[in-house]
Amino acid sequence: MHCGPPDMVCETKIVAAEDHEALPGAKKDVLLTAAGGMWPPLPAAPPPAPGPQPRDGTGGAGPPAGRGVCIREFRAAEQEAARRIFYDGILERIPNTAFRGLRQHPRTQLLYALLAAFCFAVTRSLLLTCLVPAGLLALRYYYSRKVILAYLECALHTDMADIEQYYMKPPGSCFWVAVLDGNVVGIVAARAHEEDNTVELLRMSVDSRFRGKGIAKALGRKVLEFAVVHNYSAVVLGTTAVKVAAHKLYESLGFRHMGASDHYVLPGMTLSLAERLFFQVRYHRYRLQLREE
């Protein structure tokens, strides 16, 4: 199975302006101030430890997401912690996609209703007819699990297999972690594409035990600051998230919803007939304009 870079948790592209000249210092300061004004102020971060200048250009540990939480660059020793957070976050998508995600697909709901009606017309049995929805939901769970585990297999053998090599060494890429009491509780990545002068925001995920503390918003802010410092003009976000809270997060960061598609092919999909019947995702696109092109 071909494993391209998966995009399930969160995919964002930061689109460079047509003119790639560096901004004058004063103008860059204005942009950083404007970008910071999109969100409520956070407490000041502690001063960074002496050492080489971070590659993100936005300071050492990054702004704290809440009391005791800070955003800083990934370290090689945190590989397994980052993979665990990513893995656990993706596993949550199995029931969400199978059950909650069905509400996003009215045609599939109609098809399932017709199947139940057909069963009753053939068997005249209320018991068998009532078992049809349960069977269909069980099949949705089976195929959601099958596809999402295949997606995870791809991701854990591509970029998430060696975060240091994939994100920290190439120019224009970076990986950040949210740290609380010495433990990694959230992750986010940015990766450059030189051929079209874009940067993708990938792998945003927060440990379920530490959600609701502003950590995800702080991770998003870090990438937006990265975009401003490196003179990109807009952030474009793509996601297959089902939960309303995820979409509210993007909107709170200033993103505008640009449309959705039901024809997105997730890495790990085989596009078999059964899979088409029992597994669907909706791909949403968001955009945040940082400055005029």
Side-chain angles (χ1 to χ4, degrees):
M1 177 175 60
H2 174 69
C3 294
D7 317 312
M8 183 113 178
V9 173
C10 182
E11 174 189 345
T12 304
K13 288 189 176 181
I14 303 171
V15 186
E18 292 179 1
D19 62 308
H20 309 293
E21 297 175 2
L23 292 175
K27 188 172 183 181
K28 183 179 291 185
D29 291 341
V30 171
L31 288 173
L32 284 168
T33 302
M38 297 177 185
W39 312 280
L42 295 171
Q53 178 67 18
R55 66 192 295 141
D56 59 15
T58 59
R67 187 174 182 180
V69 180
C70 69
I71 311 299
R72 61 162 171 77
E73 290 184 11
F74 167 85
R75 298 170 184 170
E78 296 160 340
Q79 171 81 22
E80 290 307 314
R83 282 166 57 94
R84 175 190 60 79
I85 290 173
F86 170 71
Y87 184 88
D88 291 347
I90 293 297
L91 283 185
E92 294 178 15
R93 295 296 181 91
I94 296 175
N96 286 338
T97 303
F99 307 132
R100 189 179 298 182
L102 182 58
R103 294 181 297 183
Q104 298 180 344
H105 302 279
R107 292 184 180 179
T108 301
Q109 295 178 44
L110 177 60
L111 175 61
Y112 292 175
L114 291 175
L115 288 173
F118 177 77
C119 177
F120 179 76
V122 171
T123 65
R124 296 294 175 180
S125 169
L126 286 175
L127 177 61
L128 289 176
T129 302
C130 290
L131 290 175
V132 169
L136 293 172
L137 290 177
L139 286 168
R140 285 187 64 85
Y141 184 87
Y142 170 80
Y143 279 99
S144 293
R145 185 175 185 275
K146 176 177 178 289
V147 172
I148 290 172
L149 289 179
Y151 164 83
L152 270 172
E153 185 73 11
C154 287
L156 294 175
H157 286 83
T158 52
D159 60 312
M160 295 302 290
D162 191 344
I163 295 171
E164 181 79 20
Q165 180 68 33
Y166 203 89
Y167 290 109
M168 302 308 293
K169 292 185 178 179
S173 299
C174 198
F175 197 102
W176 297 272
V177 293
V179 180
L180 174 64
D181 296 331
N183 298 312
V184 176
V185 298
I187 59 173
V188 71
R191 185 183 60 189
H193 291 280
E194 293 182 2
E195 65 276 9
D196 58 0
N197 289 309
T198 64
V199 174
E200 289 180 286
L201 183 153
L202 299 165
R203 310 312 190 202
M204 182 187 285
S205 187
V206 176
D207 190 314
S208 60
R209 297 170 296 176
F210 300 96
R211 291 175 188 165
K213 300 178 182 294
I215 297 174
K217 182 175 286 190
L219 289 165
R221 289 181 62 173
K222 192 67 174 178
V223 176
L224 297 182
E225 291 169 5
F226 181 84
V228 172
V229 168
H230 289 82
N231 302 320
Y232 292 97
S233 62
V235 180
V236 182
L237 167 67
T239 181
T240 58
V242 174
K243 289 185 176 180
V244 174
H247 297 274
K248 287 185 176 180
L249 168 65
Y250 309 141
E251 292 170 359
S252 73
L253 286 168
F255 286 92
R256 291 180 55 199
H257 189 257
M258 305 302 291
S261 172
D262 292 330
H263 305 292
Y264 179 71
V265 178
L266 187 73
M269 293 180 68
T270 63
L271 300 179
S272 65
L273 178 60
E275 198 172 271
R276 290 174 183 268
L277 285 173
F278 300 113
F279 179 82
Q280 302 89 24
V281 291
R282 175 166 291 178
Y283 184 76
H284 297 267
R285 293 177 292 106
Y286 289 85
R287 182 182 181 90
L288 190 158
Q289 193 75 29
L290 295 176
R291 61 185 175 89
E292 295 300 324
E293 299 184 10

